[in-house]
């Protein structure tokens, strides 16, 4: 039904390649999020699926039918735009109804009834006779969703629909959108630059950068097993720590720290020389540096100084620099629980468990080794 | 002591601030300018209501006194111009609507629809704006008189129509000329407005299944209402006040189809000299339609200017 | 350098015969070298307050003092302040260098060579030395931001005012600039007033936060003070992401009674709440415990069965949305945050624990806090 198959899709604007050789298979009723920094080609891809751009090469199938040369209205899709694109001169009712007018098989009464039904579902029934200009951002957002849902399409396309809302409302709409998608069971392609939206809403995430697909997978797969440095850095907030250095006989040597790899990491890294050590902030453990300055540091421990503390309430982000580094550049940042407060300037011992370490190849950025995840670890399926 | 004296100066300073010289200067300047610009207007209105004797004997700025007051000038001017009023409006209103509507459509096609050769077409429109009228006057007259004598072709139609007379047919070529020459500037004005609209309006409507014409009719046309106000006022004033085309395409001020701009110079002028009262009355009457249009479209005009027109 | 005092400052706008109070009797003292963040929802009066400090708006009532000097009637250009705008307000026709030097050229008689030296110094501090000859249009958002900051710093003002300077940047860059700005402010030691609607910026950057709502000051305090000891419902809800959970109910016989559950209070909360009837129970999402099977029954009075409706995996943590059994499936009653390595299945039923030392109680009528969670902040400090 709503399965989308994209094969070897390329789009060029003059000399610039916006999307390069993209292949993606989105099964029916999946919620796929296309995520990447601005200019990575995610919106262009979405617009090609919508039929607002024509592919230079490759093909797009929706529900098994070839779509490349089909006009948008014949693709059985609905799209929600970043600015909502509500028609300012029409009431909410007329806005929602507009999309139905060209749909065959409805009488005028049926159209009106359908609009009421959708309005009820989105709890915007009271707003039907207002103009978009009289609505708040969240309400406009709902109307835009209503306009998409009313046609009961095979595919929803959403272009950063939440980016104009404030943080609280965005978090609310996130779960609401997700529940709506579950209810209608419609294949959804959702474009965003916000990794939190990607992680929290999607069945699967497709990460794009510079027009090419970096990795497709379930949120936690991308989080714990990124295919390359870009994905590792893009997914997760605060971002993964990266330390550049070389692999010398199974030991990572950076400017300030040395980190001996254990056996499984050595196997994966092999003889690659230029490597980048990656570790998530929440996997860095901190303890106080002994007052007398003695105390022995383990193989995977380092002395560091707290440069900045960012309290978030529920957690603190601790920025760390190496004592030998006079420039004050930050080497690592760690996350601690919100009730553990550390003052800037404190000396701490940083320990990084080898089980939580990622290793990337400097030259290609590809992941050589991803962190170990003990699957039995506290997994709970009630 | 030192403390109290500084208090003193402080008080003086705050007093001076209340009578800020700068501010007084600004007001004086503003009033002077208002006077400078309004004096001719006032003179005109006063003159229009004065008898010839009063015009000769009183200062132009003075209002007419009891026996110096007359409405004769107005009545005379109205009689002289009434036919021309009808001619002007009969020509200018359709010409304005035509050029504004076509300009808006052209702008829509040039900004919101993708097709090859858009740039070339835009260049043609730009050339249309910069084409000097004087250069086309003679060819234009030849075209309408000899090559395509539309006026004489339409005469029978006008004879049959109510209210209209056969000579009104002579206004049709002028009307069409104004539409043609008005389209480029209207297009450019609308184009800048449409470029400011988010492209997602059109894209959303496309996905909703609306055709290109339906998008124009249901979305773009209603959204551009404020801009229509601006362009309509501008275009009407242009066409109504235009002289060169009218002078070329209509044979003279003594013909029955002459428009206001053709007749106006002759009203109140005779061998015995210029009758200022009549001239001023005629001038005000002639300006009336544009004033009415401004008032009628004032709201849209303001909104259109605000939204970046 | 000096302190800034807002003394009963009020701003009233005249809007079509109607008086709109944008800022209502706000008093704050901002110490020398302090970084104060004014935070609140849009339209709360925080920007108006900043603009009054800058001299871009007149003050209807009250007094603003910079050091000991009353600056109510001092012109903006004579206040010795620098302001960074949300839109950066860089002059598009001038190079980055000229943008930075412009203020100095206008306000001082320094010779050109001295000005250039200052500009170079500031540019190297901001890491934009290579960009000095570019026009703003050729710079990225982050670079423009740095130029705007450079323009503020170069004048060495007594006071920095910043109006949502990071809101045009993307999330990663914003997080970076946050620490950078903070370090810069420490380094320069200039008193700073920073306006934002983003509570994360407020929490992470400030020495103290002033929360404003509807023109009125709600609370002033250190970030963690506001987080753990909010004065009222508004502050409790505004600070913290995801928001605190709230339950409306009544206080009946030393218990909180809600449509779906009852929460018995211990003697201390009882003491604090005594006398109120209409109350709100609050708990932060990270304090809600999704119990392991083994731990169920340890504190049976404060344990509840709930349905998991939506799970939002963030990687480092999961945001779990819960509803009480028997309620409509779209409704959501509580949000809990669990560790990212722990899997909670959507649609499952879980046992939830609400520890008594973590709950807040508010008076529903006034919104005031009756009881705050038990947490000795000073004792916790440095407990690594």
């Amino acid at each position: 039904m709503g399965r989308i198959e994209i094969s070897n899709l390329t789009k060029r604007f003059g000399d610039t390649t916006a999307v390069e050789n993209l292949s993606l298979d989105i099964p029916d009723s999946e919620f796929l999020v296309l995520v990447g920094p601005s200019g990575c080609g995610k919106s262009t891809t979405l617009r090609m699926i919508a039929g607002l751009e024509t592919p230079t090469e490759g093909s797009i199938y929706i529900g098994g039918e070839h779509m490349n040369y089909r006009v948008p209205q014949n693709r059985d899709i609905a799209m929600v735009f970043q600015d909502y694109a509500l028609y300012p001169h029409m009431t909410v009712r007329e806005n929602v109804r507009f999309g139905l007018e060209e749909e065959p098989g409805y009488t005028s009464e049926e159209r009106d009834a359908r609009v009421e039904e959708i309005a009820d579902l989105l709890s915007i029934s009271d707003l039907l006779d207002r103009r978009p200009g009289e609505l708040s951002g969240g309400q406009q957002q709902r109307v835009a969703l209503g306009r998409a849902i009313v046609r009961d399409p095979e595919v929803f396309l959403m272009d950063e629909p939440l980016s104009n809302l404030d943080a609280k409302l965005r978090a609310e709409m996130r779960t609401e959108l997700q529940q709506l998608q579950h209810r209608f069971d419609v294949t959804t392609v959702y474009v965003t630059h916000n990794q939190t939206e990607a992680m929290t809403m999607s069945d699967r995430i497709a990460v794009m950068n510079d027009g090419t697909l970096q990795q497709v997978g379930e949120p936690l797969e991308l989080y714990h097993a990124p295919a390359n440095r870009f994905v590792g850095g893009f997914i997760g907030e605060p971002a993964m720590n990266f330390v550049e250095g070389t692999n010398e006989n199974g030991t990572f040597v950076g400017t300030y720290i040395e980190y001996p790899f254990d056996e499984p990491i050595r196997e994966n890294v092999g003889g690659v020389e230029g490597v980048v050590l990656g570790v998530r902030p929440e996997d860095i453990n901190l303890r106080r540096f002994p007052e007398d300055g003695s105390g022995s540091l383990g193989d995977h421990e380092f002395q560091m100084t707290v440069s900045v503390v960012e309290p978030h309430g529920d957690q603190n982000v601790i920025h760390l620099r190496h004592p030998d580094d006079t420039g004050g550049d930050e080497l690592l940042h760690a996350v601690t629980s919100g009730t553990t407060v550390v003052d800037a300037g404190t000396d701490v011992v940083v320990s990084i468990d080898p089980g939580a370490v990622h290793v990337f190849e400097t030259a290609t950025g590809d992941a050589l080794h991803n962190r170990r995840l003990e699957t039995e670890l506290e997994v709970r399926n009630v | 002591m030192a403390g109290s004296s500084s208090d003193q100066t402080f008080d003086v300073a705050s007093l001076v601030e209340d009578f800020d010289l700068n501010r007084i200067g600004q007001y004086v300047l503003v009033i002077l300018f208002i006077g400078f610009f309004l004096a001719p207007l006032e003179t005109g209105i006063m003159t229009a209501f004065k008898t010839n004797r009063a015009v000769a004997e009183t200062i132009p700025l003075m209002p007419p006194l009891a026996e110096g007051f007359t409405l004769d000038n107005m009545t005379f001017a109205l009689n002289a111009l009434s036919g021309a009023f009808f001619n002007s409006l009969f020509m200018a209103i359709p010409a304005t609507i035509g050029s504004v509507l076509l300009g808006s459509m052209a702008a829509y096609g040039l900004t919101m629809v993708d097709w090859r050769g858009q740039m070339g077409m835009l260049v043609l429109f730009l050339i249309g704006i910069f084409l000097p009228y004087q250069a086309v006057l003679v060819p234009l007259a030849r075209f309408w008189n000899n090559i395509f004598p539309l006026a004489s072709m339409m005469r029978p139609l006008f004879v049959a129509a109510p209210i209209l007379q056969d000579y009104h047919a002579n206004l049709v070529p002028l009307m069409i000329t104004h539409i043609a020459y008005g389209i480029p500037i209207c297009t450019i004005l609308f184009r800048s407005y449409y470029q400011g609209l988010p492209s997602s309006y059109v894209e959303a409507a496309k996905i909703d299944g609306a055709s290109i014409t339906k998008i124009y009719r249901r979305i773009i046309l209603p959204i551009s209402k404020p801009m229509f106000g601006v362009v309509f006022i501008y275009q009407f004033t242009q066409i109504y006040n235009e002289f060169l085309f009218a002078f070329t395409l209509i044979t003279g001020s003594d013909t029955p189809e002459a428009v206001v701009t053709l007749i106006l110079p002759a009203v109140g002028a005779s061998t015995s000299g210029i009758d200022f009262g009549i001239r001023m009355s005629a001038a005000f009457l002639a300006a009336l339609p544009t004033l009415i249009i401004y008032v009628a479209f004032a709201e849209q005009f303001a909104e259109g200017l605000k939204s970046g027109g | 350098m000096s302190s800034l005092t807002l003394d009963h400052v009020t701003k009233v706008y005249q809007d079509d015969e109607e008086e709109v109070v944008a800022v209502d009797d706000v008093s704050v003292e901002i110490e020398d070298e302090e970084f104060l963040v004014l935070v609140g929802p849009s339209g709360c009066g925080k920007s108006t307050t900043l603009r009054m400090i800058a001299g871009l708006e007149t003050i209807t009532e009250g007094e603003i003092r910079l050091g000991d000097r009353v600056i109510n009637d001092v012109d903006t250009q004579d206040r010795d302040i620098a302001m960074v705008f949300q839109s950066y307000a860089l002059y598009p026709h001038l190079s980055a260098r000229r943008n930075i030097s412009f203020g100095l050229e206008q306000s001082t008689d320094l010779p050109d060579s001295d000005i250039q030296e200052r500009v170079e110094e500031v540019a190297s501090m901001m890491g934009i030395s290579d960009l000095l000859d570019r026009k703003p249009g050729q710079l990225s958002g982050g670079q423009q931001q740095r130029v705007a900051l450079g323009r503020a710093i170069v004048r060495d003002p007594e006071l920095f005012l910043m109006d949502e300077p990071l809101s045009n940047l993307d999330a990663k860059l914003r997080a970076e600039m946050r620490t950078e700005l903070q370090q810069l402010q420490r380094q320069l030691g200039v008193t700073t007033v920073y306006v934002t609607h983003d509570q994360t910026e407020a929490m992470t950057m400030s020495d103290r936060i002033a929360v404003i709502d509807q023109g009125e000051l709600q609370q002033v305090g250190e970030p963690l003070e506001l987080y753990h000891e909010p004065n009222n419902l508004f502050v409790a809800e505004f600070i913290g992401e995801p928001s605190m959970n709230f339950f409306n109910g009544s206080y009946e016989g030393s218990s909180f009674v809600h449509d779906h559950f009852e929460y018995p209070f211990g003697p201390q909360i009882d003491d604090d709440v005594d006398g109120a009837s209409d109350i709100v129970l609050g708990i932060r999402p990270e304090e809600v415990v999704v119990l392991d099977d083994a731990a169920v029954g340890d504190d049976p009075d404060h344990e509840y069965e709930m349905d998991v409706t939506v799970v939002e995996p963030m990687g480092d943590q999961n945001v779990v949305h819960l509803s009480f059994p028997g309620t409509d499936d779209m409704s959501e009653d509580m949000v809990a945050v669990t560790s990212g390595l722990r899997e909670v299945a959507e649609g499952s039923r879980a046992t939830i624990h609400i520890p008594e030392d973590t709950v807040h109680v508010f008076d529903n009528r006034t919104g005031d806090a009756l009881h705050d969670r038990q947490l000795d902040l000073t004792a916790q400090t440095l407990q690594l």
Side-chain angles (χ1 to χ4, degrees), chain A residues 168 233 339-341 380 382, chain C residues 172 237 243 291 343 349 382:
Chain A
K168 299 260 151 155
T339 46
T340 316
V341 186
R380 173 190 162 101
V382 201
Chain C
K172 298 261 151 161
E237 202 201 343
S243 272
L291 288 176
E343 213 170 290
R349 180 159 294 187
L382 282 179

Side-chain angles (χ1 to χ4, degrees), chain B residues 86-92 94-95 140 143-145 148-159 161 164-180 239 245-246 249-250 257-259:
Chain B
F86 181 83
N87 295 340
S88 270
L89 295 178
F90 175 74
M91 180 277 299
L140 204 62
F143 177 80
W144 288 124
N145 291 334
F148 188 66
L150 184 66
S152 32
M153 289 174 185
M154 293 192 73
R155 198 150 287 145
L157 242 149
F158 275 75
V159 174
L164 299 177
Q165 305 294 328
D166 61 341
Y167 54 78
H168 284 130
N170 291 336
L171 288 166
V172 177
L174 182 60
M175 190 191 298
I176 294 175
T177 307
H178 275 307
I179 291 177
I239 293 176
F245 281 155
L249 297 180
I250 303 215
E257 70 267 25
V259 294

